[in-house]
Amino acid sequence: MDRRKKKSRSVYSICAYLTTSLFVTCAGGVKLRIIAPQHGTIMNIADLRANNGLDVDISVSVRTHEEYATAFYGHVLCLYINGTAHAHIEVVSTSSAHSIVVPSTLWQVGQTWIHAGLCNNTNDNYASSGPVYASTPILVKVQNVYSLPVLEENVDDKVTLVLPLMIDDAHRALLLVGTLQAHSSPTHQSIQELLVVVPDTQAFALAVLEASHTCPPTSVINESSLFNGIVKQTWHTYALQMAVKLLVAQRVTTNYYVTVDADILLVGTFDAALFFPGGRGTFVEEHRGVHPHWWRGSAAILGLTDDDYPNAAFGVTPAVLSTIGSVITTSLIRDVFEDDDWQQRWLGSWSNGTWWSEYTLYRLALDIRGLFDNIHVASESETFCNPVWYHGDLPWDAVGAFRNKKCVFSLVQSTTQLAPSLVAASIGFHVHHDHTHSSV
């Protein structure tokens, strides 16, 4: 049965007005979906203002009227803009309409992520009041031009690599860049770009990475540009590099990005199909017992208890992150701290004994918002193989890494104290000799 019944029409002031229509369909299961505008829509901000805003149509599918009544009773429709809830629409009767003012600064030139959620009838800024149901986020691109350009290429099937880097690790990072170039192909390139985030004081030297015309294209980003212009010396280096992997989402132009470290190596061709089956990003199901202190610290940061979301799982670097997922995570952290110096309170907490990781924060934040299963799926392929974490794990099985057709990433951790020159010799041997046997 495909009956449609108009539920409500509500008005928001963003540039001028953002008008939301809610429809109910008799389908299978409760599901929210933004049906207009479409993901990736490009709009002119002048046209938006001239047309009094943008119509956002949200489809709500339910199986029966009883299911509809149960799902909607006592709940409100939340509209999220770049990860933060800015409006609640009461869903009470089929003829209700409500208006809420939203700050105009939220609708600006650049990338804007929008998703809807059916939330408890409480203040959604608190972690305990996350949505019961949520739609998959869509990306709207707003440009300050009078004519809309045609996209030269579709970036939905591409991914960005993100590398936080200090100059002391540059020699290892060169191995990563070398393996990226060795496995790149002009006719099949899934990697849109490599973003290298560096300390401001080291940018002049590390800028050589973006000046070397590497493949994929490389951009060097100053850390301070992600932290409101200030990186405090009191912040723990480890916490800083973890926070960078979330905050960099504001500079990513693809739907997903993959985090890497300087000691990660590319041992096979990066095939997007391995990482995005069905359009969702894969994740490794590393459960909470592996790093319990990270989960406890992240729960404390987000205002949760240790018992919340006991089945949450996520792996470590390299990891696939959703761009909007990271925006939502940092937005939720900002809402929890509720002050202008939220970055200080967040990063300062690590030095004070509240240990968290970027990935445990990310997973819990998306669980709070009810979005994790919309944008991630458990990995069924071993794309990260033969890692060497400690000196006692040597030798590195380069043969196994390079010959495994499903393996994309491997690792020789700097804690092994293995000289980069020895790793380079093994990598070079495999790259230039068609994966002949070698180990170090």
Side-chain angles (χ1 to χ4, degrees):
M1 183 164 54
D2 191 24
R3 288 186 305 179
R4 281 199 166 187
K5 185 176 182 182
K6 189 169 182 179
K7 178 64 185 175
S8 66
R9 188 170 182 86
S10 300
V11 179
Y12 295 80
S13 174
I14 295 184
C15 266
Y17 294 99
L18 170 64
T19 306
T20 303
S21 302
L22 176 65
F23 295 90
V24 179
T25 61
C26 293
V30 178
K31 183 177 180 181
L32 274 68
R33 183 170 65 93
I34 296 178
I35 57 177
Q38 294 184 350
H39 177 74
T41 296
I42 303 175
M43 297 178 296
N44 187 345
I45 194 168
D47 292 341
L48 280 173
R49 290 169 175 162
N51 295 330
N52 290 328
L54 168 70
D55 286 341
V56 177
D57 291 334
I58 303 170
S59 168
V60 181
S61 300
V62 295
R63 186 181 296 107
T64 64
H65 289 292
E66 289 76 13
E67 186 177 60
Y68 166 80
T70 301
F72 279 72
Y73 180 76
H75 295 124
V76 292
L77 185 63
C78 307
L79 181 68
Y80 295 84
I81 302 173
N82 286 334
T84 300
H86 293 286
H88 294 69
I89 310 168
E90 294 183 14
V91 182
V92 179
S93 67
T94 59
S95 58
S96 62
H98 309 272
S99 299
I100 296 178
V101 175
V102 179
S104 61
T105 54
L106 297 173
W107 200 256
Q108 32 183 286
V109 173
Q111 297 189 145
T112 298
W113 289 90
I114 303 173
H115 74 280
L118 188 61
C119 310
N120 294 321
N121 195 4
T122 56
N123 185 348
D124 194 67
N125 283 339
Y126 294 97
S128 60
S129 59
V132 181
Y133 304 102
S135 70
T136 299
I138 66 161
L139 176 63
V140 176
K141 301 175 183 179
V142 182
Q143 299 186 352
N144 190 17
V145 293
Y146 290 100
S147 60
L148 300 180
V150 177
L151 287 178
E152 294 182 1
E153 59 181 335
N154 178 13
V155 299
D156 286 349
D157 60 348
K158 294 183 180 292
V159 68
T160 300
L161 294 189
V162 171
L163 169 65
L165 180 63
M166 300 184 68
I167 200 166
D168 294 342
D169 298 318
H171 54 331
R172 295 185 180 275
L174 290 177
L175 299 177
L176 168 63
V177 173
T179 57
L180 280 172
Q181 290 183 307
H183 288 96
S184 64
S185 168
T187 59
H188 180 73
Q189 180 58 263
S190 296
I191 301 173
Q192 176 80 0
E193 63 178 334
L194 170 65
L195 299 181
V196 185
V197 186
V198 305
D200 291 27
T201 56
Q202 301 171 14
F204 77 97
L206 294 172
V208 67
L209 292 173
E210 65 180 356
S212 58
H213 304 291
T214 58
C215 184
T218 301
S219 298
V220 174
I221 300 173
N222 287 17
E223 279 180 352
S224 65
S225 67
L226 306 180
F227 291 93
N228 298 329
I230 299 175
V231 175
K232 298 187 178 181
Q233 296 298 317
T234 56
W235 292 346
H236 196 286
T237 301
Y238 194 31
L240 181 63
Q241 293 216 340
M242 290 190 293
V244 157
K245 292 174 183 175
L246 295 174
L247 291 168
V248 74
Q250 60 193 273
R251 303 290 291 272
V252 174
T253 60
T254 52
N255 294 337
Y256 289 88
Y257 60 98
V258 177
T259 59
V260 293
D261 288 327
D263 35 23
I264 295 288
L265 303 165
L266 199 74
V267 295
T269 301
F270 189 98
D271 184 357
L274 290 174
F275 294 90
F276 306 103
R280 291 186 291 172
T282 57
F283 75 101
V284 176
E285 292 185 283
E286 181 181 284
H287 294 282
R288 300 174 68 130
V290 178
H291 300 288
H293 52 294
W294 290 350
W295 293 97
R296 284 195 300 268
S298 295
I301 290 291
L302 296 172
L304 301 172
T305 69
D306 290 347
D307 297 327
D308 290 326
Y309 307 106
N311 297 321
F314 210 88
V316 295
T317 306
V320 177
L321 297 182
S322 158
T323 305
I324 178 57
S326 293
V327 170
I328 288 171
T329 301
T330 54
S331 175
L332 186 54
I333 295 170
R334 182 176 62 248
D335 291 343
V336 168
F337 287 125
E338 294 183 331
D339 65 34
D340 293 337
D341 205 13
W342 67 277
Q343 291 179 342
Q344 164 58 28
R345 296 182 61 186
W346 173 29
L347 276 81
S349 67
W350 215 87
S351 298
N352 295 330
T354 303
W355 290 0
W356 42 265
S357 80
E358 67 275 53
Y359 304 120
T360 51
L361 283 171
Y362 175 88
R363 172 64 202 252
L364 290 175
L366 293 186
D367 281 335
I368 289 170
R369 293 302 191 208
L371 285 169
F372 187 80
D373 291 335
N374 288 25
I375 54 184
H376 281 289
V377 62
S379 176
E380 296 183 355
S381 300
E382 189 182 11
T383 55
F384 180 50
C385 61
N386 302 93
V388 179
W389 299 96
Y390 304 105
H391 183 77
D393 297 331
L394 292 171
W396 174 45
D397 184 8
V399 172
F402 277 92
R403 287 196 167 182
N404 186 339
K405 298 302 182 183
K406 292 185 178 180
C407 185
V408 178
F409 295 109
S410 190
L411 169 143
V412 181
Q413 185 92 334
S414 58
T415 52
T416 62
Q417 300 180 345
L418 186 67
S421 59
L422 296 178
V423 182
S426 182
I427 292 173
F429 185 86
H430 283 280
V431 168
H432 297 298
H433 293 80
D434 196 24
H435 301 180
T436 308
H437 288 273
S438 177
S439 63
V440 293

